[in-house]
Amino acid sequence: MSQTKHILVTGGAGYIGSHTVIELINAGYSPVIADNFRNSHKSAISGISEIAQQEIILRELDVCDLDSFDKVFNEFSFVGIIHFAALKAVGESVERPLDYYRNNVLGLLNCIELAEKHKVRNIVFSSSCTVYGEPKGEKIVNEKTEMGVANAPYGYTKQIGEQMINDVIQSGADLRILNLRYFNPVGAHPSSKIGELPIGKPSNLLPFVTQTGVGIHDALKVFGNDYNTADGTCIRDYVHVMDVASAHVKGIEWLEKQSNSFVEILNIGTGKGTSVLEIIHTFEEVSGKKLNWEFAERREGDIEEIYADVSKAKKLLNWSNERTVKDAVQDAWNWELKLKNG
């Protein structure tokens, strides 16, 4: 009988985490979720369980609590760790910086310390394109693009996380670490059993669009119409959450085949930019509804245009996105309707 391949997924009940757990199961792994539900909902666990048609292993704990975190490592023998557990709202990080530094930096520190202690060599770290800040004169960024000034404490916590990983590898730690810098994950599982569940008002565009579509908000504000882009609105690289999830699985599979210790960085996106207005028009197309929206003043800290060069992920992991922005908007809308109708 083949050995059970346990993967620890911290923050596995969260948005990207829950979709990744599904993809891990599909690839033959046995995920163990560690989550304290500070930034997620328990309903995600039953959604994952329904899709996978199996019981999900869950340990309710805070990764910042070293002792309780250590117990999971004593209970299971992990072949790898995918570390999502982090607070991630840019605006909130400006209001509550210490919460973000404590949670995001200490959580990763504990994760690396326990990986070393328990000899778990393979780690995928959930980083972010926010580490690039606003790249000077570049719209399309690759992994060699210099880190810019982060536009909020959230971005700094990811920069600090990557620096910590570099220093640990530099010190001779026997670890293989993959930093995945994702651009803008969107959409939901096609079954509509799991999806993005923002706590409070969404800080991301697509959930705000779909929530406005079902009447939770009166109108969507489009911040700025005078950017130097084709339609005057900001441009981002929106990548389907299921594609992001599959990148983590391919990342773990790739790490398992390597021998040396190293840190590697990969952008995860589509390599294409989509404007705010294009997202609105796509939503109107898939939903058959007119969306109530209006232009507003530019928002502090918004970057005009940024998207990913994803050639390295294709070369290293043989990964590229398989789903379109339209697929993502359709799946997000189906998920929103499911939430509305219970």
Side-chain angles (χ1 to χ4, degrees):
M1 190 177 140
S2 65
Q3 193 193 352
T4 306
K5 292 178 98 172
H6 287 298
I7 300 282
L8 176 62
V9 187
T10 71
Y15 176 40
I16 305 173
S18 56
H19 292 79
T20 300
V21 167
I22 296 294
E23 291 294 273
L24 284 166
I25 292 168
N26 290 343
Y29 290 100
S30 179
V32 176
I33 294 176
D35 208 305
N36 65 350
F37 300 101
R38 179 175 172 182
N39 215 12
S40 54
H41 294 256
K42 289 200 170 159
S43 60
I45 302 296
S46 48
I48 298 167
S49 187
E50 270 184 64
I51 297 166
Q53 298 191 309
Q54 66 181 61
E55 281 292 303
I56 301 302
I57 308 169
L58 167 70
R59 295 295 176 265
E60 199 168 333
L61 62 92
D62 184 344
V63 295
C64 293
D65 176 352
L66 189 65
D67 291 343
S68 60
F69 198 10
D70 195 18
K71 287 185 180 126
V72 188
F73 284 85
N74 288 322
E75 190 182 350
F76 298 94
S77 175
F78 295 115
V79 295
I81 302 165
I82 302 178
H83 181 61
F84 291 109
L87 299 175
K88 63 176 176 44
V90 171
E92 184 188 63
S93 77
V94 176
E95 291 154 24
R96 304 198 342 246
L98 290 182
D99 277 1
Y100 274 68
Y101 284 110
R102 180 185 302 109
N103 191 81
N104 295 7
V105 177
L106 182 58
L108 176 63
L109 190 151
N110 287 348
C111 188
I112 294 172
E113 196 171 300
L114 292 172
E116 280 207 278
K117 177 181 170 184
H118 295 275
K119 301 192 168 28
V120 186
R121 297 186 63 199
N122 307 309
I123 304 173
V124 177
F125 172 55
S126 166
S127 190
S128 163
C129 70
T130 58
V131 301
Y132 294 116
E134 174 129 39
K136 301 275 177 288
E138 288 180 81
K139 292 169 183 171
I140 183 154
V141 293
N142 66 32
E143 293 82 358
K144 289 194 171 75
T145 301
E146 273 186 50
M147 281 195 190
V149 175
N151 63 355
Y154 166 71
Y156 279 118
T157 67
K158 293 300 182 183
Q159 289 184 344
I160 291 166
E162 288 202 18
Q163 185 60 52
M164 187 182 352
I165 286 167
N166 291 344
D167 294 341
V168 167
I169 295 297
Q170 209 60 48
S171 74
D174 188 19
L175 296 169
R176 303 180 285 231
I177 304 181
L178 187 57
N179 294 338
L180 296 186
R181 293 175 176 169
Y182 351 114
F183 280 65
N184 295 70
V186 284
H189 193 272
S191 68
S192 302
K193 292 183 194 299
I194 55 171
E196 190 166 5
L197 270 172
I199 293 174
K201 218 178 208 186
S203 54
N204 294 335
L205 174 64
L206 193 51
F208 213 109
V209 166
T210 59
Q211 287 189 3
T212 306
V214 293
I216 294 172
H217 310 292
D218 295 334
L220 169 79
K221 283 186 165 54
V222 175
F223 300 106
N225 63 349
D226 56 351
Y227 285 100
N228 185 25
T229 60
D231 62 21
T233 65
C234 288
I235 289 178
R236 294 289 178 273
D237 187 337
Y238 296 98
V239 53
H240 199 298
V241 67
M242 292 304 297
D243 285 327
V244 178
S246 83
H248 290 80
V249 179
K250 290 203 163 183
I252 282 286
E253 289 171 340
W254 178 76
L255 287 173
E256 281 196 272
K257 294 182 192 128
Q258 310 307 309
S259 49
N260 306 349
S261 306
F262 59 84
V263 56
E264 189 57 86
I265 299 161
L266 292 179
N267 283 339
I268 300 299
T270 65
K272 292 189 190 74
T274 306
S275 75
V276 176
L277 285 188
E278 284 174 317
I279 291 282
I280 290 171
H281 299 326
T282 305
F283 170 78
E284 291 180 335
E285 186 190 335
V286 304
S287 68
K289 290 172 83 81
K290 281 301 285 172
L291 192 72
N292 189 21
W293 64 273
E294 61 202 21
F295 284 120
E297 289 294 300
R298 284 187 181 200
R299 193 169 49 177
E300 189 66 40
D302 269 347
I303 291 166
E304 181 168 277
E305 181 171 1
I306 186 169
Y307 48 99
D309 176 342
V310 288
S311 51
K312 192 173 169 188
K314 180 144 186 55
K315 190 175 146 203
L316 222 58
L317 304 185
N318 192 27
W319 174 90
S320 53
N321 68 296
E322 293 174 6
R323 298 157 184 88
T324 63
V325 169
K326 188 175 175 182
D327 295 333
V329 174
Q330 181 73 67
D331 289 337
W333 178 234
N334 291 344
W335 164 244
E336 193 68 65
L337 292 173
K338 160 101 182 310
L339 289 177
K340 186 190 177 198
N341 303 322

